[in-house]
Amino acid sequence: SSLLLPAQGLATKKQRELYVGNLTANAISAEGLRELFASLCAALPDHDDSRGPAVINAQLCEGGMFAFVEMQTEALASTMLRFHGLEVAGRPMKIGRPAGYLDPPHGPVPPLDVPMEVLKELGISGQVGPARVDVLGQHIDARKRRELYVGNLTAGAVSGVMLRDAITRVLAGALGGDGGGNPIVRNAEIQAGGMFAFVEFRDEPTATMALALLNGHDLCGRPLRVGRPAGYTEMGGAPEAPTAASLGAPSYIPPPPAPEVAPRPPPPIYESVEEPELLG
């Protein structure tokens, strides 16, 4: 019998693994995702379910915004790529190979046949999206979607804790609570001597709500300027490639300009006055 080296085992897992992105945060559980992929496999005429579960594992990341799904075989993983674009909770799933994927030494494993009537019923074309996914980029992109730029702060008057508490109070009223064990605001980082900050929220929907509620909100006598940070990408649509670059263009509101300082008036010019002569 042949010996399977650790690196070979890792490569084999990568060949069975899928990246699944563009999920709605908290809309589907890992078990729900596993059942979804298992049901897709059950619709394949050539799938042999006597070999055991079609889905080995499903792991959600970033609050359920993307996931990694490990299939039983390389052939099933190749087949699942054809379900790229399947709508789940109102969003088209993006299914691709994870970072680190390499074709097997003997060449790519061909997918199983997917009947056209199955694709038509699901409302997808069956076209496979291009190859790799930058997982680190996805992690950064997911954080950017939870983050907001908050500007026009009074320099030196607002701390990170003060800003976090003020934002939490505003959103807690709209959400009906402060989140308990899942705080509304994860972090508030003051920048540029206190003139603006970057605030990270617990998830993307909360950040979107904060954008609507906080822009123009008065803090220390000044209206906040709130917007998406540089690097933010809008999720939505159904681009062919499951990459962050295809999700939208970045949008950024720059920090407010430094307040103008009125020029100092020139020093007064005093006329010299001769001292009067003293009468002797």
Side-chain angles (χ1 to χ4, degrees):
S1 62
S2 60
L3 178 64
L4 184 66
L5 299 177
Q8 291 175 310
L10 181 61
T12 302
K13 179 180 177 180
K14 285 292 183 185
Q15 288 148 13
R16 297 195 313 265
E17 195 173 50
L18 297 168
Y19 161 86
V20 182
N22 200 34
L23 301 175
T24 301
N26 303 316
I28 188 169
S29 66
E31 185 58 32
L33 195 61
R34 183 202 296 256
E35 291 176 359
L36 172 63
F37 276 80
S39 68
L40 296 176
C41 292
L44 305 174
D46 298 333
H47 171 56
D48 181 8
D49 58 7
S50 67
R51 299 181 58 182
V55 183
I56 303 299
N57 187 42
Q59 179 183 357
L60 292 173
C61 304
E62 292 295 335
M65 297 179 68
F66 64 93
F68 295 98
V69 177
E70 183 184 352
M71 307 302 297
Q72 181 195 79
T73 66
E74 298 169 27
L76 283 176
S78 297
T79 307
M80 291 300 102
L81 294 173
R82 297 196 63 188
F83 292 98
H84 172 70
L86 176 65
E87 188 171 301
V88 175
R91 282 184 173 174
M93 280 196 306
K94 304 185 187 307
I95 304 176
R97 298 291 192 180
Y101 170 81
L102 297 172
D103 284 330
H106 48 78
V109 176
L112 304 180
D113 179 60
V114 182
M116 284 304 300
E117 55 267 25
V118 172
L119 298 174
K120 186 178 294 186
E121 184 178 349
L122 295 174
I124 54 178
S125 66
Q127 183 177 0
V128 176
R132 315 291 187 268
V133 175
D134 178 5
V135 178
L136 177 60
Q138 276 299 136
H139 176 79
I140 296 172
D141 190 52
R143 176 173 177 176
K144 287 294 182 185
R145 290 192 295 270
R146 296 195 310 265
E147 195 174 57
L148 292 178
Y149 159 86
V150 180
N152 200 33
L153 302 177
T154 303
V158 181
S159 67
V161 173
M162 177 181 173
L163 182 61
R164 183 190 64 202
D165 291 347
I167 291 174
T168 298
R169 282 195 299 271
V170 173
L171 294 184
L175 295 170
D178 61 4
N182 187 17
I184 293 173
V185 179
R186 285 189 176 184
N187 187 45
E189 185 176 345
I190 302 293
Q191 305 268 337
M195 295 178 65
F196 65 91
F198 291 103
V199 180
E200 182 186 355
F201 295 85
R202 64 187 177 192
D203 52 35
E204 182 187 4
T206 304
T208 301
M209 177 182 288
L211 181 61
L213 293 179
L214 295 176
N215 195 37
H217 181 79
D218 183 87
L219 183 64
C220 294
R222 301 181 75 166
L224 297 177
R225 296 177 61 195
V226 183
R228 300 291 190 180
Y232 169 80
T233 52
E234 183 69 49
M235 296 191 73
E240 291 186 4
T243 61
S246 67
L247 300 179
S251 174
Y252 175 61
I253 299 177
E260 295 184 1
V261 179
R264 294 182 178 179
I269 300 175
Y270 297 99
E271 294 183 1
S272 61
V273 180
E274 293 184 3
E275 294 184 2
E277 295 183 3
L278 297 177
L279 297 177

